[in-house]
Amino acid sequence: MVTIGVFDGVHRGHAQLVHAATAAAQQRGVPSVLMTFDPHPAEVVRPGSHPPQLTTLTRRAELAEAMGIDVFCVMPFTPVLAAQSPKDFVHEVLVERLHASEVVVGDNFTYGKKAAGTVDKLRESGARFGFEVQAISLFGEHAVTFSSTYIRSCVAAGDVESAAEALGRPHRVEGVVVRGDGRGRQLGYPTANVAPPMHSAIPADGVYAAWFTVLGAGPVVGQVEPGARYQAAVSVGTNPTFSGRTRTVEAFVLDTSADLYGQHVAVDFVAHIRPMVAFDSIDDLLAEMAKDVEKTRRVLGE
């Protein structure tokens, strides 16, 4: 039992595919397999066009497991794979490697060289090789299909609330806490400067209410255990009050003084609080930051 796609985001539309695949696998008494690709096919077909990434591979695997998938299969997307004909892809991947008894895809699924393979062609191949095909419409509301493209546009606009609605959870940015210029600590608001992986989908410049979670396999001695979660007021942008040029993700983590440097962390964006602006004075900035913290506590407390 196989469901195929990039699955960036593992959003509510993808959840429909996964539910169908796990239900069918249980009925047939076979494992359910989610097959994704890495790197993103767009980067191989059109180098330099890698879209902003909504989830890391590790996060996708975690989400798939939580939804009941038995096997998370990562297919290296190479120029050789991109050049395969639809027939060769089906025979070599679905039949020879995965021994698929049923394949679940979105109703707009394409595959093979120049995306020449369609759902109808997949059904023809299924009739030949002995597997069934389910094509499912991605779940949507308000006439909007829940797709990774739609979610990326929400994130890019800073509309993290709509992104969360489509994802079924807040949009997450992971990264390692690195040392910044220390200005936040000087102002009384020490921040964790989160350096995300390349291609990460970062929300538009602004201030956000977010959950800040420490990831990792072992404890930070004397400080905080992995899995600990805190409220955070998160600034995304270039710090225009100080004429900054580098775009950063800086989290003022509430109710802890733990040393977070070097830790792998996750920032789950819940709500947009205000746009990024340049203040006339440090006092004006500090007054607004105090309001940001108050709003963060209120939003996350609800």
Side-chain angles (χ1 to χ4, degrees):
M1 174 59 53
V2 181
T3 181
I4 310 170
V6 177
F7 291 103
D8 187 21
V10 193
H11 52 65
R12 290 173 64 186
H14 293 145
Q16 297 291 101
L17 304 184
V18 170
H19 176 73
T22 54
Q26 185 175 18
Q27 185 176 23
R28 290 176 178 271
V30 298
S32 57
V33 179
L34 184 149
M35 189 174 77
T36 187
F37 302 100
D38 185 64
H40 195 285
E43 181 64 21
V44 176
V45 176
R46 297 179 300 279
S49 65
H50 197 303
Q53 191 171 43
L54 297 171
T55 47
T56 64
L57 275 179
T58 300
R59 179 64 169 158
R60 273 179 254 176
E62 292 171 350
L63 293 168
E65 181 181 19
M67 290 191 289
I69 288 291
D70 296 311
V71 179
F72 183 76
C73 176
V74 181
M75 177 67 67
F77 198 89
T78 64
V80 172
L81 183 62
Q84 272 191 329
S85 69
K87 289 183 180 180
D88 286 344
F89 175 81
V90 169
H91 183 263
E92 294 183 20
V93 177
L94 298 183
V95 178
E96 292 292 327
R97 296 190 191 183
L98 297 178
H99 307 288
S101 57
E102 188 168 338
V103 179
V104 181
V105 294
D107 59 0
N108 62 347
F109 177 70
T110 58
Y111 61 100
K113 184 177 181 180
K114 296 184 178 179
T118 63
V119 171
D120 287 340
K121 289 185 177 181
L122 188 61
R123 285 199 173 102
E124 292 174 5
S125 295
R128 177 184 177 188
F129 292 109
F131 61 82
E132 295 186 17
V133 175
Q134 278 197 67
I136 296 177
S137 297
L138 297 183
F139 181 78
E141 294 176 350
H142 313 303
V144 175
T145 299
F146 289 148
S147 68
S148 299
T149 299
Y150 167 72
I151 296 168
R152 289 188 194 101
S153 69
C154 292
V155 172
D159 186 0
V160 294
E161 293 90 344
S162 293
E165 180 182 6
L167 285 165
R169 64 186 184 280
H171 172 58
R172 170 172 288 193
V173 172
E174 295 184 24
V176 175
V177 178
V178 298
R179 294 192 181 275
D181 54 24
R183 187 177 291 115
R185 186 172 300 278
Q186 295 172 7
L187 296 175
Y189 289 89
T191 58
N193 193 333
V194 180
M198 185 181 297
H199 304 306
S200 295
I202 308 298
D205 289 3
V207 177
Y208 299 85
W211 291 104
F212 183 98
T213 305
V214 178
L215 306 175
V220 182
V221 179
Q223 295 291 332
V224 61
E225 295 285 337
R229 190 173 78 152
Y230 303 93
Q231 296 180 351
V234 182
S235 170
V236 178
T238 59
N239 293 317
T241 300
F242 300 97
S243 301
R245 296 183 179 181
T246 303
R247 196 163 185 260
T248 60
V249 178
E250 298 183 54
F252 175 54
V253 185
L254 309 185
D255 304 320
T256 182
S257 58
D259 182 358
L260 298 168
Y261 288 122
Q263 293 303 304
H264 182 204
V265 301
V267 179
D268 293 313
F269 290 84
V270 175
H272 181 266
I273 291 181
R274 65 170 173 85
M276 182 65 64
V277 296
F279 292 93
D280 294 330
S281 69
I282 300 299
D283 288 340
D284 289 344
L285 171 62
L286 292 174
E288 195 63 31
M289 291 172 72
K291 294 179 183 178
D292 294 340
V293 172
E294 181 183 348
K295 291 177 183 176
T296 294
R297 291 191 185 279
R298 183 171 68 250
V299 168
L300 299 181
E302 293 173 353

